[in-house]
Amino acid sequence: MDEKKDPDKEIDPKKYGEVVAVQGPVIDVKFLHEEDVPGINDVLESHTKDGEKVVMEVAEHLPGNIARCISLNSTINLQRHAPAKPLGAAVMVPVGDETFGRILNVLGDPYDKKPPIQSKHRMPIRQKKEDIYVNPDAVEHAFEVLETGIKIIDLLFPMTKGSRSGVLGGAGMGKSVLTLELIHNIVTKHRGACIFTGVGERIREGNELYHEIANANLLDKVAMVYGQMNEPPGARFGAISTGITIAEEIQKQNKDVLFFVDNVFRFVQAGAEISTLLGRVPSETGYQPTLAMEVAEFHERIRSIPGRGSITAVEAVYVPADDLTDPSVVAIFSFLDSIMVLTRERIQLGLYPAIDPLLSSSGNLDADVVGQRHFDLAQEIIKIFNKYEELRRIVAVVGVDELSRADRVLFDRARKLQFFLTQPFFVAESYSGMKGEFVTLKQNLDGCERIIDGRMDRISEEKFYMKGSLDGL
């Protein structure tokens, strides 16, 4: 590392700044000389009256040699005139295999009451623009399907290595449960490395995830980064950069990395809080004026590069008031290859996972990616579900007996398909009382074909609910 940027190098106390204002997580630090003012995103360190360390990141330069900073931890009891030491670099976090099985915060410090990570390498969480935006010709274009064992995802919204998939839904729709199941199935099946980033979520969920992974004996392949709901916006905003930095370093070992984020909306929300605290004029809808740039910066770091492995992202996205046209959700949309929308209607019908096949879409559902048989079958199923929606409205008024024979057959098969695409989850066994099942793509396609071809017409639709494959029917 360049000596000038070495955070461990002793700095002349005369170059220290002085805290002149503290407004919540916003701290103004004044320096004697203009040349001593740290650069944007550089880190300063101060201490509270109680001796607690306060780490802050430079966000703006103000007149009078003042650096306006955003704190990455609590500023309670930080006093005016406290010295602030510039570290001469951005936030540096430990990377490498030593991070597996550990829970880290935005600064790379452990949350799990275990000793600090003894990693040989530390990397800055902020990337230079030239490192983020690469030549499109240098990005891997080959598609390799990643089997998840979840029927509706593998069938209609297939994941490929290096892709970005979004799980969208309002409060209480099962985004976190679906994300947990994906982690369980993919890490168990493919034994890949997994980085989980919890952004602005509840401490309870992080605790449950850790013990779920520990019980499945997967801790040696999973690293966790948290910027939790009770932390300042700087910690929540930066956690996603810490997570992707650790993922990038593992990717350089020519490994396939699974990168899970729960929840991207909280990242946007933290950015909006920071923007407001810095006094920036919001956009017409109330979000920060830098919304598109902030969402783009971390999404552009998720990619496959030849000879350097891949990063495959699964992102949970909270949808405010179930409004899919919310500007934050629309900004995230444009970077996703697959969009899985969870709806309350399907939850009320007891269809879990509650992914609506007609509201959702996937760019990977292509004959060149999944094969002709899979593509044709998926298109037929979508066509059946579209027709079923029309018939469902008619049946609600006149009853099923008034349908023509052909429509009645299609209606019954559509309901069986709908029930077949439900599935018991491993991570929900303690809640549902049903044993989780991993369904292979072959079992999935065979089951759908048997229903569509009419080979299962004599079996009542209840038999298909919350089942794995149809091998036993």
Side-chain angles (χ1 to χ4, degrees):
M1 195 192 306
D2 183 5
E3 187 182 350
K4 191 175 83 170
K5 291 291 183 184
D6 187 352
D8 297 323
K9 185 177 182 290
E10 278 304 314
I11 295 166
D12 185 350
K14 292 178 183 176
K15 295 181 182 289
Y16 282 22
E18 181 184 274
V19 174
V20 293
V22 180
Q23 302 170 55
V26 178
I27 305 166
D28 288 350
V29 181
K30 185 176 177 63
F31 291 83
L32 279 177
H33 306 289
E34 186 178 344
E35 60 270 19
D36 295 336
V37 180
I40 300 294
N41 292 333
D42 276 7
V43 174
L44 289 83
E45 189 179 285
S46 187
H47 290 83
T48 67
K49 181 184 174 183
D50 309 323
E52 294 291 325
K53 184 166 71 174
V54 177
V55 180
M56 59 198 98
E57 201 174 39
V58 178
E60 285 182 349
H61 291 150
L62 301 181
N65 302 336
I66 293 175
R68 177 157 284 177
C69 308
I70 294 291
S71 172
L72 300 180
N73 50 13
S74 175
T75 58
I76 292 174
N77 286 332
L78 179 64
Q79 297 178 310
R80 282 188 71 194
H81 308 303
K85 175 184 176 182
L87 299 186
V91 175
M92 307 285 286
V93 296
V95 293
D97 293 346
E98 294 86 355
T99 59
F100 288 133
R102 301 300 301 272
I103 307 175
L104 310 178
N105 64 10
V106 64
L107 302 170
D109 297 330
Y111 259 151
D112 49 16
K113 304 288 178 73
K114 294 179 183 176
I117 294 172
Q118 303 298 321
S119 175
K120 297 176 184 176
H121 302 289
R122 297 180 78 87
M123 294 294 292
I125 67 171
R126 305 289 186 191
Q127 292 287 335
K128 295 176 182 177
K129 293 288 187 291
E130 56 267 28
D131 294 333
I132 295 176
Y133 303 111
V134 297
N135 182 348
D137 295 332
V139 179
E140 184 69 74
H141 293 293
F143 294 102
E144 186 178 342
V145 176
L146 200 64
E147 197 173 87
T148 68
I150 300 173
K151 288 181 285 190
I152 193 166
I153 293 178
D154 287 342
L155 180 68
L156 301 178
F157 317 105
M159 288 170 56
T160 59
K161 287 183 179 178
S163 66
R164 311 179 191 110
S165 301
V167 180
L168 285 76
M173 289 207 190
K175 297 183 298 299
S176 297
V177 173
L178 185 55
T179 303
L180 279 175
E181 184 73 3
L182 284 165
I183 292 174
H184 178 278
N185 287 5
I186 295 174
V187 176
T188 304
K189 173 80 173 176
H190 301 279
R191 302 302 297 177
C194 171
I195 311 299
F196 180 87
T197 309
V199 181
E201 290 298 294
R202 301 163 189 83
I203 296 171
R204 168 185 61 77
E205 292 176 347
N207 186 56
E208 288 174 0
L209 172 66
Y210 179 82
H211 289 292
E212 189 71 46
I213 292 170
N215 292 338
N217 297 317
L218 299 173
L219 274 180
D220 60 332
K221 289 294 179 185
V222 181
M224 284 163 276
V225 179
Y226 281 98
Q228 296 176 135
M229 194 176 271
N230 63 323
E231 294 191 83
R236 285 178 270 131
F237 186 80
I240 214 163
S241 298
T242 299
I244 194 70
T245 300
I246 295 171
E248 284 174 333
E249 202 60 25
I250 295 168
Q251 181 193 22
K252 288 177 185 174
Q253 302 172 18
N254 199 19
K255 292 181 179 178
D256 294 321
V257 185
L258 293 158
F259 181 62
F260 291 88
V261 185
D262 188 6
N263 186 300
V264 181
F265 174 77
R266 305 292 181 202
F267 163 77
V268 171
Q269 200 173 41
E273 288 178 44
I274 291 170
S275 182
T276 302
L277 289 164
L278 294 175
R280 294 175 185 156
V281 178
S283 64
E284 187 181 345
T285 52
Y287 286 100
Q288 62 269 45
T290 52
L291 171 63
M293 181 194 75
E294 290 169 1
V295 172
E297 274 188 353
F298 102 82
H299 275 102
E300 291 299 333
R301 295 171 68 177
I302 300 168
R303 56 178 180 257
S304 298
I305 298 174
R308 276 179 49 186
S310 66
I311 299 178
T312 306
V314 178
E315 307 170 15
V317 184
Y318 169 70
V319 180
D322 296 348
D323 179 14
L324 292 173
T325 63
D326 186 89
S328 64
V329 179
V330 172
I332 295 163
F333 265 168
S334 55
F335 296 96
L336 301 176
D337 299 300
S338 295
I339 296 164
M340 293 170 266
V341 181
L342 307 179
T343 62
R344 293 195 190 281
E345 184 183 10
R346 291 181 73 82
I347 285 176
Q348 289 160 0
L349 293 170
L351 302 173
Y352 298 101
I355 300 171
D356 191 315
L358 301 181
L359 285 179
S360 310
S361 64
S362 175
N364 294 326
L365 191 58
D366 187 287
D368 293 334
V369 178
V370 298
Q372 196 64 48
R373 177 200 177 201
H374 184 163
F375 176 75
D376 291 342
L377 189 59
Q379 293 303 311
E380 181 65 24
I381 288 169
I382 291 170
K383 193 191 303 180
I384 289 171
F385 282 149
N386 268 310
K387 182 67 175 173
Y388 171 73
E389 279 303 303
E390 295 175 19
L391 295 176
R392 193 169 63 87
R393 292 187 181 93
I394 296 169
V395 167
V397 178
V398 299
V400 72
D401 294 333
E402 297 301 316
L403 297 179
S404 66
R405 188 175 185 283
D407 282 349
R408 202 179 310 151
V409 168
L410 186 142
F411 186 83
D412 289 341
R413 288 177 186 172
R415 285 185 62 84
K416 286 173 183 174
L417 274 174
Q418 204 173 50
F419 282 0
F420 175 62
L421 293 179
T422 62
Q423 189 169 345
F425 281 177
F426 290 98
V427 298
E429 285 178 2
S430 57
Y431 309 111
S432 65
M434 291 180 277
K435 188 171 175 55
E437 286 198 47
F438 185 103
V439 181
T440 65
L441 183 60
K442 183 182 183 305
Q443 291 173 322
N444 195 352
L445 298 179
D446 288 348
C448 291
E449 279 183 342
R450 288 169 67 186
I451 294 170
I452 291 171
D453 292 348
R455 285 177 272 166
M456 312 299 285
D457 283 355
R458 294 180 180 277
I459 298 174
S460 63
E461 62 186 36
E462 292 81 12
K463 299 281 187 184
F464 297 86
Y465 182 67
M466 282 295 178
K467 296 288 182 188
S469 66
L470 296 184
D471 294 345
L473 287 180

